[in-house]
Each structure stands twice: as structure tokens, then as C-alpha cells.
């Protein structure tokens, strides 16, 4: 996934300002595709220059008024094109796994504490995802967009469940 496509998706869901997009990324997209405020604003400028989005006309001109963006037909077409394009899975690059492999060579000092820290982080993220699921996907919410969004959330739940179980098993394996 790329940042421009994430922004196009977010703007198609709801026209927004750069600040609103940043907040929305922190609450949804950021769980699987993070971006800083600066990256979002830079990409908004590129998307506007490329004719994929535009600034909505302000009801009243005012200095310092925030710009709100919407997707133009070319932006929708680009997002549809990108969505339909095949892409291979990315190879995993996880520093924790590399650190474990390195610990096998140089010793395990500090590894158990780091594994416990990661376990805590993954347990908290899993709890957050389950709360979102409970809040946003009650029984009966079953439109195609709901099912697709829920599938993304379930992927996060499944990944966090994997990490929690793997970390617990790895910590148990490190005990003498």
C-alpha cells in the first residue's frame, strides 16, 4: 500500500483537511499504514498537482482557513486501478526476530525483557482492536463496505493474536 492511495481512500470516505486526515490516520489507517503529519501534507500537495484531488471551495474567504480536500474523478480512477493491480506480499523485516537470531550468537542478555515488553505492546494492541470490533462492527452490520473494513480489522486481530501466542511460547522456551 502507498500513502497516496491511503489518502485517496480516506478522502473518498470523507472529504477532509490535512489535520483531519492526520487524526483519522491515527485512529484507523495508522494501525496498518502510518504516516506523519508532514508526509500527509506533502502527499496532498502532490495529489493536487497531479489533478487527483482538489481543495474544496471555502464558504467564506478567510485567512488561515484550513483547506478541505476531495477526490476528483482521476483520483477515483487511480485508486480503482491500483486496487485491481496484483501485488506480491512483502517480505517480512522484523528487528525483534533479527535480534533473537543475533542473541543466539552473542548471548541473551536483555532479550527476555525485550520479549516481555513486546508481549505487553501486542496484548494492548489486541485489546484495542477487540474494542474497535465491538464498537464498530455489531451484529447485523453487514454491507459489503462493512465486511471489507471488518476484514482489515480481523487481519490486525489475527496478527496480534499470533504475536501474543508466539511471544508467550518463546518466553516459555527461554526458561531453563
Amino acid at each position: 500500500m502507498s500513502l497516496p492511495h491511503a489518502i485517496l481512500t480516506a478522502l473518498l470516505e470523507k472529504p477532509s483537511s490535512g489535520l483531519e486526515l492526520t487524526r483519522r490516520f491515527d485512529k484507523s489507517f495508522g494501525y496498518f499504514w502510518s504516516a506523519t503529519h508532514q508526509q500527509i501534507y506533502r502527499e496532498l500537495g502532490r495529489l493536487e498537482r497531479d489533478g487527483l484531488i482538489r481543495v474544496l471551495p471555502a464558504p467564506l474567504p478567510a485567512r488561515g482557513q484550513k483547506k478541505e480536500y476531495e477526490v476528483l474523478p482521476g483520483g477515483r480512477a487511480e485508486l480503482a486501478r491500483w486496487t485491481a493491480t496484483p501485488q506480491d506480499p512483502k517480505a517480512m523485516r522484523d528487528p525483534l526476530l533479527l535480534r533473537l537470531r543475533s542473541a543466539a550468537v552473542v548471548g541473551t542478555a536483555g532479550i527476555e525483557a525485550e520479549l516481555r515488553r513486546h508481549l505487553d505492546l501486542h496484548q494492548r494492541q489486541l485489546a484495542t482492536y477487540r474494542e474497535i470490533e465491538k464498537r464498530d462492527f455489531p451484529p447485523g452490520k453487514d454491507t459489503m463496505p462493512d465486511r471489507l473494513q471488518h476484514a482489515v480489522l480481523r487481519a490486525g486481530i489475527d496478527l496480534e493474536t499470533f504475536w501474543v501466542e508466539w511471544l508467550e511460547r518463546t518466553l516459555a522456551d527461554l526458561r531453563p
Side-chain angles (χ1 to χ4, degrees), residues 96-166:
L96 180 62
L97 297 178
L98 181 57
R99 290 174 74 195
L100 281 178
R101 182 70 186 257
S102 300
V105 177
V106 298
T108 59
I111 284 296
E112 184 175 345
E114 183 65 356
L115 289 169
R116 290 192 186 288
R117 188 178 76 78
H118 276 256
L119 176 59
D120 180 60
L121 293 169
H122 287 288
Q123 286 171 329
R124 283 191 275 151
Q125 190 63 56
L126 180 57
T128 298
Y129 285 162
R130 287 187 171 146
E131 282 298 314
I132 292 169
E133 183 178 43
K134 185 177 177 181
R135 180 192 70 218
D136 293 350
F137 297 99
K141 191 171 183 184
D142 197 34
T143 66
M144 183 55 73
D146 291 331
R147 283 188 260 160
L148 292 172
Q149 290 177 351
H150 196 185
V152 172
L153 179 61
R154 280 195 317 268
I157 289 170
D158 290 348
L159 284 169
E160 293 303 328
T161 300
F162 161 78
W163 281 112
V164 166
E165 291 172 358
W166 180 84

Side-chain angles (χ1 to χ4, degrees), residues 22-129:
T22 300
R23 289 180 180 148
R24 289 175 60 206
F25 264 73
D26 288 344
K27 293 179 182 174
S28 64
F29 286 92
Y31 289 121
F32 56 91
W33 193 264
S34 63
T36 66
H37 187 74
Q38 293 83 3
Q39 290 170 317
I40 289 171
Y41 272 95
R42 232 184 349 262
E43 201 56 52
L44 284 169
R46 282 189 202 115
L47 290 167
E48 187 177 16
R49 278 191 307 278
D50 292 347
L52 302 178
I53 65 172
R54 74 174 180 136
V55 175
L56 287 170
L60 298 171
R63 269 183 74 150
Q65 186 172 353
K66 64 182 177 181
K67 295 179 186 177
E68 200 166 71
Y69 297 88
E70 72 174 352
V71 177
L72 294 170
R76 180 180 284 276
E78 167 54 23
L79 187 58
R81 181 208 60 76
W82 177 80
T83 300
T85 302
Q87 183 176 358
D88 292 338
K90 298 275 184 202
M92 183 192 290
R93 292 179 64 182
D94 191 292
L96 180 62
L97 297 178
L98 181 57
R99 290 174 74 195
L100 281 178
R101 182 70 186 257
S102 300
V105 177
V106 298
T108 59
I111 284 296
E112 184 175 345
E114 183 65 356
L115 289 169
R116 290 192 186 288
R117 188 178 76 78
H118 276 256
L119 176 59
D120 180 60
L121 293 169
H122 287 288
Q123 286 171 329
R124 283 191 275 151
Q125 190 63 56
L126 180 57
T128 298
Y129 285 162

